[in-house]
Amino acid sequence: MLEFYYDDSGTHGHSNVIVWGGVSGHKQIMDELDKAWSARLARPTGNRPPISKFRMYDLMHAQNEFEGYSEGEKLRVRRNFRKCIVDSGASVIAYAISRRDWDAVATPAAKLILAGAERTIFGVAVMESCKIAEKYGEPISFIFDKGRSPQLDSIIAPAIEAADFDPNRVSYGFRTVASVNGLQAADLVAYEAYQFGCDYLEDNSADPNPHMRALLDQCHDHRIGWIGRDQIQAVIDGTADMVKKLGLA
């Protein structure tokens, strides 16, 4: 069984980039990550008190449980939790789409069928994960951030079908990030991938920042996907037959 934990970043309305990112691995790997994460929550850094959950946005803005953290402490916490992912042997996964290019390129018919950039990139993440599981001959388990479930639940079955993966070998659920350590690790990955995606959108020769670079270089394995203008156009072209069948051309 391969377990995948996915969280989103950039789904707020004014973002030009949307990411679904996370961590994956066999159960024993994810169990190790869970244990290490819990231990780090108990001691995020130095003599700081335990925290109930990790959230990159809160850390970077020194708010809620990270209120009062110095810049040095924030850097150490960022590194400490990243190290939990690296040491566990989990794989890092992230798929990003340029919403700016989607809005510019997608036709009204394509927008009606595909229902937006976020749904498209979420479907890509599910489909590509199924392809990974098929490669290893494994069943698959997904845990997604519960906050997006009303918008995205209906995409999972079509994405599994598009991957030509047996739906009977897939289980999935939506949980709150605060309640699942794997989703908190996914939050870290999605945040770092979002920062890189924003830089890459403006300059496709941009390198990952040092934190993202360290995550990619040190993790067991990583799969990063980018859906920009050319890829979006290819997806839209692929809906041409469906557009005709539905009489939307």
Side-chain angles (χ1 to χ4, degrees):
M1 172 77 74
L2 279 175
E3 298 182 2
F4 286 78
Y5 295 80
Y6 272 110
D7 192 22
D8 62 285
S9 188
T11 50
H12 48 286
H14 62 273
S15 172
N16 285 326
V17 174
I18 302 173
V19 172
W20 276 89
V23 291
S24 70
H26 289 95
K27 185 179 187 305
Q28 61 268 30
I29 289 175
M30 304 316 294
D31 285 349
E32 287 301 316
L33 174 58
D34 181 68
K35 292 176 185 177
W37 203 269
S38 291
R40 185 49 69 185
L41 290 173
R43 188 181 180 187
T45 188
N47 294 320
R48 286 290 184 176
I51 56 176
S52 63
K53 64 182 182 298
F54 175 87
R55 184 169 182 252
M56 274 292 291
Y57 185 87
D58 286 352
L59 173 64
M60 299 313 297
H61 291 83
Q63 64 184 29
N64 295 324
E65 293 184 281
F66 297 111
E67 184 176 358
Y69 274 53
S70 67
E71 289 301 315
E73 287 176 316
K74 287 159 59 177
L75 287 172
R76 287 193 292 274
V77 171
R78 195 173 185 178
R79 179 198 63 205
N80 289 344
F81 280 94
R82 180 175 70 236
K83 192 172 185 295
C84 291
I85 297 173
V86 170
D87 290 349
S88 72
S91 295
V92 168
I93 44 178
Y95 298 95
I97 190 169
S98 166
R99 177 157 45 191
R100 185 174 69 189
D101 286 327
W102 170 270
D103 291 340
V105 171
T107 63
K111 290 178 180 178
L112 181 63
I113 292 171
L114 298 170
E118 180 183 358
R119 289 171 66 87
T120 297
I121 197 62
F122 179 77
V124 167
V126 173
M127 183 174 64
E128 293 300 319
S129 298
C130 288
K131 291 179 180 178
I132 293 168
E134 186 64 45
K135 178 181 177 182
Y136 290 100
E138 299 273 9
I140 191 170
S141 168
F142 289 109
I143 300 295
F144 302 108
D145 172 20
K146 186 177 182 179
R148 310 306 298 174
S149 55
Q151 298 91 339
L152 301 173
D153 191 28
S154 62
I155 302 174
I156 296 174
I160 294 170
E161 182 180 357
D164 197 25
F165 195 84
D166 181 358
N168 295 315
R169 299 171 64 209
V170 179
S171 62
Y172 68 88
F174 292 87
R175 301 279 299 277
T176 62
V177 174
S179 68
V180 179
N181 288 344
L183 285 179
Q184 293 172 42
D187 171 89
L188 184 153
V189 173
Y191 183 97
E192 300 289 15
Y194 173 75
Q195 299 300 315
F196 178 41
C198 290
D199 292 340
Y200 187 83
L201 180 60
E202 301 305 325
D203 177 8
N204 60 20
S205 66
D207 292 322
N209 67 40
H211 299 281
M212 182 64 171
R213 183 76 271 162
L215 181 62
L216 297 179
D217 288 347
Q218 296 169 14
C219 71
H220 168 70
D221 187 22
H222 64 266
R223 295 173 179 86
I224 308 297
W226 171 255
I227 308 297
R229 183 174 291 258
D230 292 344
Q231 294 84 2
I232 291 168
Q233 188 63 60
V235 170
I236 292 168
D237 291 344
T239 66
D241 288 343
M242 188 179 298
V243 167
K244 291 178 181 178
K245 288 179 181 178
L246 295 175
L248 299 173

